[in-house]
Amino acid sequence: MKTLELKRVSATAAPAPGVREQATVSKYIDTTSCIGCKACEVACQEWNDLPAETTVQLGTYQTLPELTPNLWNLIRFNELDHDGALRWLMRKDQCMHCGDPGCLKACPAPGAIVQYMNGIVDFNQEACIGCGYCMTGCPFNIPKLNQKTQRVYKCTLCSDRVSVGLEPACIKACPTGCLQFGTKTQMLDLAGKRVAQLKGQGFEHAAVYDPPGVGGTGVVTVLAYGDQPELYALPKDPTIPLAVRIWKTPLKWLGSLAMTFGVVGTVLHYLRYGAKKAEE
Amino acid sequence: MSGRILRYTLHERLIHWVAGFAFVYLLVSGLAFYSPRLYWLVNPLGGGQTARAWHPWAGVLFTAVCVWMYRIWRGDMAISEQDRAWRKAIGRYVRNQDKDLPPAGRFNAGQKYFFWLMFWGGFLLLASGAVLWFPERIPWSLRSLRYAAVLIHVSAALATIGGFIIHVYMGTAVVRGGFTSIVRGEVTREWARAHHPLWLNEKE
Ligand code: HEM
Ligand code: SF4
């Protein structure tokens, strides 16, 4: 692991050791110029040497209903009847690389989930215990448990490629240029321009999807119907689930305090009152 | 009038200790997942993956034993009028002024409440634990089940752990002879008269 690039480490009380200054990186996904060719799906499988999944007939072009432990990149298809015109919505679904990752917050295994200085959220399967807490912490339904290995898997944002200056495999494979990769600032810039263009073409609700509730995402998505992200199977205002926040902060601290006081209380009680006498 | 009388049959002692060891395993492995500061607890258990794999099975064993205990102790654990009076006067029990308390039967009210805490706690832990066990089987549309499960599991674990701390403390340090009775099964008449007089009357 790239120690000097670790910004956050799961289940670790000590501060993370990262010191390198790195710009936050991001993917750019323009759903409006995606043609649904799935070159990115294939490139992801190939680069990561993942076994092919048996596809399911869903009545659309979508490969599978959801991501799986071996499918980290899925083009989601949706048909929209918009004022009598058919709109075919396609969105590349994968890990969003949240600024404030719910998976990492939920994870109980030290070092099983890390966030690098450049914003990439990565799973370290060696330390993963397969509890699936990350699946509960994620607001996007991304991490998937492999039954056989009992570890979770998801998109790595090609951290291996990015660390040697290459762009992610999916980006490389995209024939239309609807996928781009660069610093987050660059990608937001690009997305802003595209949204302005779309608005000019009559998509008045076109918007950039970069939800602040999860600290922004390492995937900047352009949506023609930006006011209805659900059409693209995206949550409207995602946050780390409230239950997970309660569980991991107040409940953890209160519980730890209560257990400590419980033990200390018995000691104090013994010092004050001692044992009961059988003969009185 | 001295001599020893049987307080717990071999069957009862065995069941108690299966529950005890299962609970301690659940406590240790569960706390490791609960707090990063306690994750080192997985080391004596064979590591995180092993503890993750066995914790739910120990839980199934624990709940099964709770049901078994219910079968053999249900009658003894029924809460009576006297127990309610005992509960109101619990301050005296805490201050070791046992003479001023309503007399206890085979189990005093504190022990009974502890039993019911573990019984219902075990039930809640099994139900919520089952959801935590197979998170991938819970469809995304039902994810609120997962949220409820973590909160219920942790809360119920904390409640049972609280009871457990008091239980172990009372049974070993405060009520001397209690620990021996659940290991060897026997107590002295004096012990029974001091702690469980109504039970002693029944026996004689
Ligand atoms: C009765 C059946 C039980 C089942 C099926 C069960 C199952 C689980 C599962 C699946 C987890 C998630 C971590 C893991 O996969 O190992 C878990 C966590 C946990 N369990 Fe249990 N468990 C049971 C009983 C108990 C009991 C009796 C205790 C009390 C000592 C307990 C305490 C905990 C704690 C403290 C956690 C960690 C919660 C957190 O991460 O904050 N469990 N349990
Ligand atoms: S399944 Fe693995 S990565 Fe996910 S929370 Fe559990 S230990 Fe962490």
Side-chain angles (χ1 to χ4, degrees), chain A residues 106 108 129-133 247-248 252, chain B residues 22-35 48 51-63 121-135 150 153-154 156-158 160-161:
Chain A
I129 61 171
C131 63
Y133 285 4
W247 166 33
K248 287 290 162 170
K252 195 170 83 184
Chain B
F23 190 83
V24 170
Y25 182 88
L26 288 159
L27 172 96
V28 172
S29 53
L31 287 184
F33 306 136
Y34 177 63
S35 169
R52 171 16 174 150
W54 285 109
H55 177 100
W57 288 110
V60 169
L61 177 67
F62 176 74
T63 309
F123 193 73
L124 277 181
L125 284 159
L126 182 70
S128 57
V131 174
L132 296 183
W133 198 350
F134 305 108
V150 283
H153 203 76
V154 174
L158 287 170
T160 55
I161 291 169

Side-chain angles (χ1 to χ4, degrees), chain A residues 110-193:
Chain A
I113 305 184
V114 298
Q115 184 182 43
Y116 294 116
M117 301 303 271
N118 65 7
I120 294 181
V121 179
D122 222 353
F123 283 8
N124 171 19
Q125 280 75 14
E126 199 177 309
C128 171
I129 61 171
C131 63
Y133 285 4
C134 48
M135 300 163 68
T136 304
C138 176
F140 296 104
N141 189 17
I142 302 298
K144 297 288 167 192
L145 186 82
N146 180 322
Q147 302 276 359
K148 204 169 87 209
T149 66
Q150 285 294 310
R151 322 276 160 134
V152 287
Y153 300 83
K154 69 159 188 71
C155 155
T156 65
L157 219 163
C158 281
S159 55
D160 48 351
R161 292 173 58 92
V162 171
S163 68
V164 295
L166 297 173
E167 57 185 4
C170 54
I171 312 288
K172 180 108 185 149
C174 180
T176 69
C178 78
L179 299 184
Q180 302 285 334
F181 177 77
T183 67
K184 176 119 185 220
T185 325
Q186 288 169 338
M187 296 304 107
L188 282 174
D189 221 44
L190 209 57
K193 286 191 188 124

Side-chain angles (χ1 to χ4, degrees), chain A residues 11 108 110 126 128-131 135-136 138-139 141 145 147 151 241 243 251-252 255 266 269-270 273-276 278, chain B residues 31 33-34 36-37 39 48-49 52 93-96 98 135-136 140 146-147 150-151 154 158 169 173-174 176 194:
Chain A
E126 199 177 309
C128 171
I129 61 171
C131 63
M135 300 163 68
T136 304
C138 176
N141 189 17
L145 186 82
Q147 302 276 359
R151 322 276 160 134
L251 197 51
K252 195 170 83 184
T266 60
H269 180 269
Y270 195 74
Y273 296 106
K276 290 184 190 294
Chain B
L31 287 184
F33 306 136
Y34 177 63
R37 289 187 168 77
Y39 191 76
Q49 283 92 10
R52 171 16 174 150
Y93 188 75
V94 172
R95 290 190 295 272
N96 288 354
D98 291 22
E136 74 281 6
W140 184 243
R146 290 190 205 156
Y147 305 151
V150 283
L151 294 181
V154 174
L158 287 170
Y169 170 62
V174 179
R176 295 291 166 87

Side-chain angles (χ1 to χ4, degrees), chain B residues 2 23 45 53 75 79 87 95 97 143 154:
Chain B
S2 99
F23 190 83
L45 305 182
I79 308 276
R87 193 185 65 196
R95 290 190 295 272
Q97 299 158 348
R143 60 191 176 282
V154 174

Side-chain angles (χ1 to χ4, degrees), chain A residues 1 13 53 61 69 75 78 92 126 134 150 155 162 198 207 213 215 262 280:
Chain A
M1 214 170 286
E53 296 275 19
Y61 282 97
I75 301 290
N78 189 18
K92 174 172 158 3
E126 199 177 309
C134 48
Q150 285 294 310
C155 155
V162 171
L198 288 167
E280 281 180 272

